[in-house]
Amino acid sequence: MSASDFGRPPRNYRPAIYFLLLIIIVGLLGGAYYVAPRFERQGPQIKLMPDSDVLGLAPMVIVVTDQGTGLKSVTATLSSGGSEYELASEQYAQPVTEKTITVALSSKLTGVKEGPAVLRVSARDGSLWNFLHGNETVIQKNLTIDVTPPTVELIADDRYVNFGGVGVIVYRPSADTVTSGVRIGDYFFPGFQGQIKGHSDRFIALFAHPYRVPVDAKAVLVATDKAGNTKEMPLVYELKNVKYKKSTIAISESFLQTKIAPLLNDVGARQGKPKDVFLRVNKGLRKENEDKITAITRKSTPSILWKGAFSQLSNSKVEANFADERTYTYNDEPIDTAYHLGYDLSVTKHYPVEAANSGTVTFFGDLGIYGNAVILDHGLGLFTLYGHLSSIDVKAGDSIKQRQIIGKTGETGLAAGDHLHYGVYLHGIAVLPVEWWDQKWINDNIEPKLEGQSGEAIAESQQSKAPHKAARKRRR
């Protein structure tokens, strides 16, 4: 120490030390903030679809998610009869937050016998927790392997079905069946049990050959069990051609202003070019209304509520037909097309509207282009719609008798004049209304099946009646 240092106070290093400590603490906190998520402790989530205690030939979907560090691996095995079968094994170089694996069991079950089995699915994430091994979720499920599809026996069917109309079949599925019905194209028509006289184990299914389905489309009777095994049986019938009309409708400026634009609740949507306003109604609103009708008419009473032929509105005249393809023009220019899904029936202004058959009110109120409307549920997937009403005299849940007054005709919605729009729907699909007005069609195609007659008995009965009719004509 020099002489000059004597009497000088010692240096204070504390601020520098504190500052250094602060830097270290901030660094440690920053590092912890960055690294801590890598040590997350929440394991992956595993979901099986279907989540059933029976495993069959139907594909099984494994959905695995991890919202933390992401998935690192997923494995699935099936143990049966002392052997273990690998269903899936995936490793991920880069963590993923969700992975869906579809397992086609039919290609993995070679040599596996029906009976008890254990399904094991494990998923591990990319966390550094658990000594850098990550979090693992394991589900283990005791199952029964069942790869035998159900059986189905066709009791009665139809030889002829109208294009756009309805067919009726009666069948008996095996006891292990959980869902059954008729599939054609993208449409499915479920069967209903307990409606056939004296045969509680039989099902009846009303199905359509929809007007927009190709004529060569094949209807198939389908039965599926709890394990997803499916039995299919093609239905054989002759499709009778029904010629649907094409028409052209000119849209006037006054009709656009007084009828079409007011149907749009959004005032701003009423502005713009006449063509655009029309398309917002004829395409946009029409689709919205049809989607609502479809949703309503897919939920039906599982028992028959009607009896006999349906009634046409008394004293009415058919002004427009079912499935008319309409081309709309404005200033002689085609601007859009649409199908007319019902009959237009006219009598006089504000004519009392009668229920076509007994049923239950499942909807009443405003229905866009159909104006004030009522929809009746007749059971077994069958519905009738009554549109453009000036007034409604029923409410939801009311039990209605055939020919009971439910309202009065009008011109609400997209209607050019006072009339009734009458539509028939089957499981959400518009079908040909006229056959439901035909008592002979009901007698030939529905009543004998409800009475429990087989297809052979029905055919013999109809053949025995044919010569009798011919003989009567000759005697005249």
Side-chain angles (χ1 to χ4, degrees), residues 289-368:
N289 300 153
E290 295 297 345
D291 288 346
K292 185 171 185 177
I293 293 171
T294 298
I296 293 171
T297 57
R298 277 183 176 168
K299 301 175 182 178
S300 180
T301 303
S303 59
I304 187 168
L305 302 179
W306 87 87
K307 184 177 181 180
F310 284 55
S311 303
Q312 181 179 345
L313 180 65
S314 61
N315 302 313
S316 68
K317 179 182 179 183
V318 177
E319 299 288 353
N321 291 294
F322 171 74
D324 281 357
E325 185 180 358
R326 295 176 167 180
T327 299
Y328 296 92
T329 64
Y330 179 72
N331 290 336
D332 297 326
E333 176 191 354
I335 56 175
D336 200 14
T337 60
Y339 286 92
H340 184 250
L341 303 181
Y343 283 163
D344 284 348
L345 307 176
S346 64
V347 189
T348 59
K349 194 171 183 180
H350 293 178
Y351 191 81
V353 174
E354 307 139 342
N357 215 316
S358 55
T360 302
V361 178
T362 190
F363 173 84
F364 76 104
D366 178 66
L367 196 53

Side-chain angles (χ1 to χ4, degrees), residues 130-343:
N130 194 24
F131 299 102
L132 308 182
H133 291 295
N135 303 293
E136 183 181 26
T137 299
V138 178
I139 63 171
Q140 192 163 292
K141 195 176 183 67
N142 293 324
L143 302 169
T144 299
I145 296 177
D146 174 12
V147 294
T148 302
T151 60
V152 62
E153 177 188 3
L154 184 62
I155 306 295
D157 59 357
D158 283 341
R159 294 178 59 190
Y160 304 98
V161 176
N162 288 317
F163 182 44
V166 172
V168 185
I169 65 168
V170 175
Y171 61 95
R172 178 169 48 224
S174 55
D176 58 339
T177 301
V178 293
T179 60
S180 62
V182 177
R183 186 184 69 236
I184 180 169
D186 296 328
Y187 303 103
F188 181 75
F189 303 88
F192 296 90
Q193 188 177 10
Q195 303 301 302
I196 308 303
K197 185 177 179 180
H199 299 279
S200 60
D201 60 341
R202 294 182 181 181
F203 285 65
I204 186 170
L206 282 66
F207 69 95
H209 194 115
Y211 68 100
R212 301 188 80 169
V213 168
V215 295
D216 58 353
K218 304 299 182 183
V220 179
L221 173 59
V222 180
T224 304
D225 64 15
K226 186 178 180 180
N229 303 307
T230 298
K231 172 69 174 180
E232 296 188 356
M233 178 185 295
L235 297 179
V236 180
Y237 56 84
E238 181 179 334
L239 188 65
K240 298 178 70 174
N241 185 33
V242 177
K243 293 183 178 180
Y244 295 114
K245 296 182 180 180
K246 294 185 178 182
S247 59
T248 300
I249 298 177
I251 303 300
S252 66
E253 184 67 31
S254 63
F255 190 71
L256 275 168
Q257 297 298 324
T258 60
K259 295 296 296 184
I260 294 177
L263 293 175
L264 297 169
N265 293 326
D266 184 353
V267 177
R270 302 179 185 181
Q271 311 304 316
K273 297 180 180 180
K275 176 182 177 180
D276 296 335
V277 174
F278 179 78
L279 291 177
R280 291 181 192 125
V281 170
N282 201 53
K283 277 194 180 301
L285 184 59
R286 183 185 292 276
K287 183 182 185 305
E288 180 183 322
N289 300 153
E290 295 297 345
D291 288 346
K292 185 171 185 177
I293 293 171
T294 298
I296 293 171
T297 57
R298 277 183 176 168
K299 301 175 182 178
S300 180
T301 303
S303 59
I304 187 168
L305 302 179
W306 87 87
K307 184 177 181 180
F310 284 55
S311 303
Q312 181 179 345
L313 180 65
S314 61
N315 302 313
S316 68
K317 179 182 179 183
V318 177
E319 299 288 353
N321 291 294
F322 171 74
D324 281 357
E325 185 180 358
R326 295 176 167 180
T327 299
Y328 296 92
T329 64
Y330 179 72
N331 290 336
D332 297 326
E333 176 191 354
I335 56 175
D336 200 14
T337 60
Y339 286 92
H340 184 250
L341 303 181
Y343 283 163

Side-chain angles (χ1 to χ4, degrees), residues 1-14:
M1 181 179 295
S2 65
S4 61
D5 291 331
F6 285 104
R8 181 178 299 177
R11 293 182 179 179
N12 187 0
Y13 293 99
R14 289 182 179 179

Side-chain angles (χ1 to χ4, degrees), residues 166-167 189 206-208 297 380-383 424-431:
V166 172
F189 303 88
L206 282 66
F207 69 95
T297 57
L380 304 188
L382 190 64
F383 294 79
V424 179
Y425 288 80
L426 182 65
H427 299 293
I429 307 300
V431 295

